[in-house]
Amino acid sequence: MINYILWAAIGFISGSVMYSYIVPKILFKKDITKISKDGNPGCGNVFTCIGVPCGILCLLLELAKGAIPVWYAMRFLSPEHIMFAPVLAAPVMGHAFSPMLRRRGGKAIAVTFGTFIGIFPQMLMLFWLAAPLIIFSTVIRICPHSMRVMSSYIVMFICTVMFEHNKAAWLGAFIIAAVVIFKHYGDFVQREKGQTDIYILSHRLYHKETPEYNKENPEIDQA
């Protein structure tokens, strides 16, 4: 039990190092939380606000901080033990509630992929998340981005329960999905005003728009 708690703490500390905040600060003297539209200290904003080379560097570091502690933990712990769930979720929680930024961390998509890389191929959660994100961005397109991410994480959790015979994976997937949905739900309600659009290719299937959104943002997000 002590070993699982120790590795969960290591994963949390690793996840709490906000590379997408630190690297632009050191290299470009820019605070990504102040120059980005949503204030999110994530690598997506680094790509947009700083540039591709810095974005790639931050992406690799964000992936690594999730993958490395989980990969090493797999060498010393049983992934079948229920206490492996917090070990799996710890880097995501560290990133989302980073003490470095007074618990105002990022939205944890990149670190989630890193965590799932750390357990691949023993568990296929990497695929269960990547597939719906790709489908919901291309074939059945869900807008805005926050709704697309929340939907993808729900699908990831459902697929994990359906196809993984590991209760620790189920619990870990649930914790990760809950954290990421919590981080995105605020954007969905506050910045995107609850609008939802669903398309198959270019054909709209569903549209929900609040009067408040229509007044402030008459154009539909087509991204």
Side-chain angles (χ1 to χ4, degrees), residues 12-209:
F12 185 90
I13 293 169
S14 177
S16 69
V17 181
M18 306 300 291
Y19 294 107
S20 294
Y21 175 81
I22 296 170
V23 173
K25 269 275 194 180
I26 294 175
L27 297 183
F28 298 93
K29 310 300 182 184
K30 293 184 178 180
D31 186 339
I32 197 67
T33 64
K34 294 181 179 179
I35 64 176
S36 59
K37 290 183 178 180
D38 60 358
N40 177 49
C43 58
N45 280 337
V46 178
F47 274 100
T48 303
C49 301
I50 306 296
V52 173
C54 187
I56 292 173
L57 174 60
C58 291
L59 174 60
L60 293 175
L61 290 171
E62 299 286 1
L63 291 172
K65 76 180 187 181
I68 292 174
V70 172
W71 185 85
Y72 271 106
M74 291 274 287
R75 286 3 185 213
F76 299 98
L77 307 174
S78 169
E80 301 288 334
H81 195 289
I82 194 65
M83 281 300 295
F84 193 79
V87 175
L88 186 62
V92 175
M93 296 181 69
H95 179 88
F97 307 107
S98 174
M100 179 179 294
L101 296 179
R102 299 179 181 179
R103 296 186 297 278
R104 296 178 180 177
K107 295 177 181 176
I109 297 175
V111 70
T112 299
F113 275 101
T115 299
F116 291 168
I117 289 171
I119 58 174
F120 186 83
Q122 291 192 39
M123 288 180 260
L124 299 180
M125 293 158 73
L126 178 65
F127 175 77
W128 307 139
L129 179 58
L133 274 173
I134 293 171
I135 292 170
F136 293 156
S137 299
T138 55
V139 182
I140 303 173
R141 190 155 53 94
I142 299 177
C143 301
H145 174 72
S146 59
M147 177 57 72
R148 183 183 311 139
V149 171
M150 291 190 291
S151 301
S152 298
Y153 273 77
I154 291 171
V155 173
M156 178 274 294
F157 171 67
I158 293 172
C159 288
T160 300
V161 173
M162 289 178 61
F163 299 110
E164 299 288 347
H165 304 290
N166 182 340
K167 292 183 179 179
W170 298 358
L171 180 57
F174 176 79
I175 296 171
I176 290 171
V179 168
V180 175
I181 290 171
F182 171 77
K183 296 294 291 187
H184 281 81
Y185 185 73
D187 257 9
F188 178 66
V189 172
Q190 296 172 15
R191 292 182 64 250
E192 292 156 351
K193 309 300 180 185
Q195 170 168 316
T196 305
D197 294 280
I198 301 176
Y199 300 83
I200 288 185
L201 300 178
S202 60
H203 301 284
R204 180 188 285 171
L205 295 182
Y206 175 81
H207 173 64
K208 177 184 177 182
E209 173 181 19

